[in-house]
Amino acid sequence: MKLLVAGQLASIYLYFFTILLPLLSGEPLLVTMEGRGFAVLALAGLLNIAFAAGNIACGLKRGGSLPAALVLKVLAIPMFCTNAYFGVICTVFGMFFAVTLPLALLTVVTACAVLLSSSCYLVPLALAARREKRIGTAACVLHTAAQFLFVFDVIGAAVFALQSRAWKTGGPAENGGSA
């Protein structure tokens, strides 16, 4: 599992720096993403998707892992911010460049792969907490739904981590509370 998480994080940052470095040099992204630039970005995206598939299988098989989910969610934030900036602001408003269809598809698929891989480590934990009556049904549904929405997934993971810590220390959520 640690190797899968580390591999996915490495591919996330390869992806992130493949987009970020040309921008820091002042070159237009569309020019940079032709030829070798797009090949490196596509390789990083495909590696990311492959590691995501492994993480999804591992997360579902093991029944979840809170540390793996938190590491993947928190350390992927720069990639999500970059994707949001280029995907939403630049494409919708057309301020700086036009995005090609392959670049747009790669961006969306890579972001969804990261979201799903980290979510598959946390959703089984929420379901197990519901079975153990540590959280209520409404809290379980909210935790699960939040894992499939950008931004809410990080907030939901943080709340779940705080609840888990309270369970371990015997805090207020110990008696089936849905805090």
Side-chain angles (χ1 to χ4, degrees):
M1 175 180 69
K2 290 179 184 177
L3 185 60
L4 286 170
V5 172
Q8 186 160 9
L9 288 173
S11 65
I12 286 171
Y13 280 92
L14 175 64
Y15 177 89
F16 174 67
F17 286 118
T18 302
I19 289 178
L20 190 63
L21 289 177
L23 294 174
L24 294 177
S25 70
E27 295 180 32
L29 184 64
L30 192 60
V31 171
T32 307
M33 288 299 118
E34 294 175 351
R36 283 187 293 163
F38 185 76
V40 172
L41 187 66
L43 175 66
L46 292 174
L47 279 172
N48 199 344
I49 292 165
F51 280 114
N55 278 318
I56 289 168
C58 185
L60 294 176
K61 179 181 171 190
R62 293 184 61 144
S65 169
L66 187 58
L70 291 174
V71 164
L72 281 172
K73 286 188 181 303
V74 172
L75 293 180
I77 289 174
M79 186 202 76
F80 286 126
C81 292
T82 304
N83 278 354
Y85 176 75
F86 292 112
V88 175
I89 295 174
C90 296
T91 304
V92 173
F93 299 109
M95 289 202 270
F96 300 109
F97 64 91
V99 175
T100 61
L101 183 60
L103 183 60
L105 287 174
L106 182 66
T107 301
V108 169
V109 170
T110 303
C112 289
V114 173
L115 180 73
L116 289 176
S117 66
S118 60
S119 297
C120 286
Y121 281 114
L122 198 60
V123 170
L125 295 176
L127 295 173
R130 172 65 189 115
R131 276 192 305 274
E132 296 169 3
K133 300 205 183 307
R134 291 188 181 263
I135 61 175
T137 303
C140 182
V141 169
L142 286 173
H143 278 302
T144 302
Q147 293 311 302
F148 299 101
L149 300 169
F150 294 108
V151 179
F152 293 107
D153 64 325
V154 176
I155 295 168
V159 168
F160 193 83
L162 291 173
Q163 283 180 323
S164 296
R165 187 169 183 210
W167 299 329
K168 289 178 183 174
T169 60
E174 178 65 32
N175 297 320
S178 59

